[in-house]
Amino acid sequence: MVRNESDPPEEAPGRRTGDADVVGMWVTADGHIRQELRADGRYDEARGNCRSAYSGCYTVTGSHLDYVDDTGFTATGDIRDGVLFHEHLVLHKEERA
Protein backbone atom coordinates (compact mmCIF):
# COMPACT_ATOMS: atom_id res chain seq x y z
CA MET A 1 0.00 0.00 0.00
CA VAL A 2 1.28 3.46 -0.89
CA ARG A 3 0.86 6.13 1.77
CA ASN A 4 -0.45 9.49 0.70
CA GLU A 5 0.83 12.52 2.63
CA SER A 6 -2.78 13.39 3.48
CA ASP A 7 -3.26 9.99 5.17
CA PRO A 8 -3.25 10.14 8.99
CA PRO A 9 0.02 8.98 10.59
CA GLU A 10 0.28 5.29 11.41
CA GLU A 11 0.12 4.56 15.12
CA ALA A 12 0.90 1.72 17.47
CA PRO A 13 -1.86 -0.88 17.88
CA GLY A 14 -4.58 0.35 20.21
CA ARG A 15 -3.34 3.96 20.22
CA ARG A 16 -4.64 7.07 18.52
CA THR A 17 -3.38 10.62 18.36
CA GLY A 18 -4.30 12.28 21.67
CA ASP A 19 -4.11 9.09 23.71
CA ALA A 20 -1.87 9.13 26.79
CA ASP A 21 1.70 7.89 26.25
CA VAL A 22 1.68 4.86 28.54
CA VAL A 23 4.51 2.83 26.99
CA GLY A 24 7.17 1.92 29.53
CA MET A 25 7.59 0.34 32.94
CA TRP A 26 5.08 1.21 35.67
CA VAL A 27 5.93 0.29 39.26
CA THR A 28 4.22 0.37 42.67
CA ALA A 29 5.95 2.45 45.36
CA ASP A 30 7.31 -0.68 47.06
CA GLY A 31 8.52 -2.15 43.74
CA HIS A 32 6.55 -5.36 44.30
CA ILE A 33 4.46 -4.97 41.15
CA ARG A 34 6.07 -4.02 37.84
CA GLN A 35 3.88 -3.61 34.78
CA GLU A 36 5.53 -3.21 31.39
CA LEU A 37 3.27 -1.61 28.79
CA ARG A 38 4.77 -2.25 25.37
CA ALA A 39 4.32 -0.24 22.18
CA ASP A 40 2.79 -3.26 20.42
CA GLY A 41 -0.28 -3.18 22.70
CA ARG A 42 0.90 -6.03 24.94
CA TYR A 43 1.63 -5.89 28.67
CA ASP A 44 3.56 -8.07 31.07
CA GLU A 45 3.16 -7.80 34.84
CA ALA A 46 5.62 -9.14 37.40
CA ARG A 47 4.66 -9.59 41.06
CA GLY A 48 7.50 -10.01 43.53
CA ASN A 49 9.72 -12.83 42.29
CA CYS A 50 7.06 -14.07 39.86
CA ARG A 51 7.96 -12.84 36.39
CA SER A 52 5.09 -12.68 33.92
CA ALA A 53 2.46 -13.24 36.60
CA TYR A 54 -0.02 -11.70 34.16
CA SER A 55 0.25 -10.86 30.48
CA GLY A 56 -2.12 -9.84 27.75
CA CYS A 57 -3.24 -6.93 25.58
CA TYR A 58 -4.24 -3.39 26.40
CA THR A 59 -5.82 -0.50 24.54
CA VAL A 60 -5.70 3.20 25.34
CA THR A 61 -8.58 5.63 24.84
CA GLY A 62 -7.56 9.09 25.94
CA SER A 63 -6.24 8.48 29.46
CA HIS A 64 -8.23 5.26 30.02
CA LEU A 65 -6.76 1.76 29.62
CA ASP A 66 -8.63 -1.49 29.03
CA TYR A 67 -6.74 -4.71 29.70
CA VAL A 68 -7.53 -8.25 28.53
CA ASP A 69 -5.34 -10.88 30.17
CA ASP A 70 -4.34 -13.92 28.07
CA THR A 71 -6.77 -16.01 30.18
CA GLY A 72 -9.66 -13.66 29.30
CA PHE A 73 -9.74 -11.71 32.59
CA THR A 74 -10.44 -8.00 32.07
CA ALA A 75 -9.37 -4.93 34.02
CA THR A 76 -9.19 -1.17 33.60
CA GLY A 77 -6.88 1.69 34.48
CA ASP A 78 -6.72 5.46 34.26
CA ILE A 79 -3.83 7.91 34.03
CA ARG A 80 -4.30 10.93 36.28
CA ASP A 81 -1.52 13.48 36.82
CA GLY A 82 1.07 11.03 35.47
CA VAL A 83 -0.02 8.22 37.81
CA LEU A 84 -1.56 4.94 36.62
CA PHE A 85 -4.50 3.85 38.75
CA HIS A 86 -5.00 0.21 37.74
CA GLU A 87 -7.89 -1.31 39.67
CA HIS A 88 -6.64 -1.13 43.31
CA LEU A 89 -3.00 -0.44 42.34
CA VAL A 90 -1.18 2.89 42.12
CA LEU A 91 1.78 2.77 39.73
CA HIS A 92 4.35 5.37 38.75
CA LYS A 93 6.25 5.40 35.48
CA GLU A 94 9.85 4.37 35.91
CA GLU A 95 12.25 6.88 34.44
CA ARG A 96 14.94 5.55 32.14
CA ALA A 97 18.49 6.18 33.30
Side-chain angles (χ1 to χ4, degrees):
M1 178 177 158
V2 176
R3 280 189 38 81
N4 182 322
E5 284 193 28
S6 64
D7 290 343
E10 292 184 19
E11 298 163 344
R15 289 205 59 214
R16 301 173 319 216
T17 302
D19 289 342
D21 180 13
V22 300
V23 173
M25 184 65 73
W26 295 81
V27 184
T28 55
D30 63 3
H32 182 74
I33 298 174
R34 301 177 59 79
Q35 188 177 92
E36 179 187 14
L37 299 178
R38 299 185 341 212
D40 65 358
R42 297 278 303 162
Y43 75 90
D44 189 78
E45 184 175 301
R47 290 182 172 238
N49 293 329
C50 183
R51 294 186 58 180
S52 299
Y54 299 98
S55 60
C57 298
Y58 73 93
T59 56
V60 181
T61 306
S63 61
H64 179 80
L65 288 83
D66 287 295
Y67 297 81
V68 179
D69 168 295
D70 288 338
T71 68
F73 179 79
T74 61
T76 62
D78 291 287
I79 304 287
R80 292 191 305 268
D81 297 323
V83 177
L84 172 55
F85 296 88
H86 172 63
E87 299 299 330
H88 67 280
L89 301 173
V90 177
L91 301 109
H92 297 271
K93 197 167 190 180
E94 189 173 73
E95 297 300 320
R96 292 186 176 176

